[in-house]
Amino acid sequence: MAEKKTPAKAAGVILKPIEEWKKEYKVRNAVFEGMKAANGWRNGKQVAEKDFKAAHHAFTHGAADGR
């Protein structure tokens, strides 16, 4: 049978668990846990690199009071 292609595979997007992106970009534990909480992510969540980087930027450059 033919393999079903998800939109991510069709576009050539690489999905990795968030823990792998954390290691690759050397994100500190406190920042990583905050990113998970802010985005509703659980351990093992697979995201694209651009989504991880966007979440990291939004968390580290956002207002401290959540505005």
Side-chain angles (χ1 to χ4, degrees), residues 10-67:
V13 175
I14 297 172
L15 298 177
K16 288 185 185 178
I18 55 176
E19 294 82 8
E20 288 187 29
W21 292 124
K22 174 187 180 281
K23 286 180 185 176
E24 188 171 324
Y25 287 105
K26 297 181 174 97
V27 176
R28 295 179 316 187
N29 288 335
V31 172
F32 181 67
E33 292 300 325
M35 287 172 56
K36 283 174 37 181
N39 290 290
W41 292 346
R42 301 275 186 222
N43 289 333
K45 171 79 174 170
Q46 295 207 1
V47 298
E49 181 178 18
K50 69 178 185 80
D51 296 330
F52 185 85
K53 289 170 73 174
H56 182 262
H57 184 271
F59 185 78
T60 56
H61 291 85
D65 61 0
R67 283 192 241 173

